[in-house]
Amino acid sequence: MDYWWLMLDTDELESKKRRKSYIWAEDDNIDSIVVESENDYRLEFAIYGKSIDFEWPNIEMYYDPKNGDSESDYLRHIKRWPIVHKRVKNLIDVYKIKGVKFYPINLINNETKEVNRNYYLLFVENVIEAYDLQKSIYTICNEDNYAFLPSKSFLNKKTCEEYDIFRPDKERLQIIVSDKFKDMVEDNKLTGFGFVYQQDTLDSNYRSLFGASAAGQDQNFYISQTQSETYI
């Protein structure tokens, strides 16, 4: 079984070959929300814990229809959250992909104030020890905060093969999916999804899509932005 790093494919959504102009949610109310969470009081980072341990608030994202008004399956927006259309939610149930929960997002048209309730945060509950630390090359810094700094990392295939979607415990902003998940996306022509084969080099530009740090994880967990490769 092969594994893939899941990401938003902005190039696909912005392609001139497409006749549709997709929604770009360029603002939200996330930074104004404080939650009572063991992971972090800031909502943006609290979702990177192993669970949502707080009451889910009213999340609003805003878009200008002049910049696009078609609904993609993976939403373009200003934050790094994986936000997906209800079509994806329904297909994940049909394909029996386990270990995910969905939390509602209110997408608001800035002109009409109409509320679109078709989108959800895709929260991956499967947080596993995905890396083979005996083969991987990495540095752990534990002075004030926990940091996993890989220069070359290897997936533990025996551990990973039990899951169709998961987050590595040491890099919880990253989402890795199986061939089954990728086939679901491609067979149903879902828009906005991108996949990077896990054996490819994950350079700093790729990691920067997820941010240099992810405060709000257990042990003040931080994500590195160093050059890295991942293998089976």
Side-chain angles (χ1 to χ4, degrees), residues 23-29 60-69 106-116:
I23 291 170
W24 157 238
E26 57 190 349
D27 198 9
D28 58 60
N29 69 340
E60 296 180 352
M61 292 190 167
Y62 313 100
Y63 73 98
D64 185 342
K66 297 190 191 71
N67 297 328
D69 59 0
N106 295 315
L107 184 61
I108 299 175
N109 183 316
N110 279 336
E111 287 189 354
T112 66
K113 307 306 178 185
E114 181 181 358
V115 180
N116 180 331

Side-chain angles (χ1 to χ4, degrees), residues 69-80:
D69 59 0
S70 295
E71 297 180 4
S72 58
D73 294 299
Y74 198 131
L75 180 68
R76 286 195 303 164
H77 63 97
I78 198 167
K79 292 292 189 292
R80 305 178 185 96

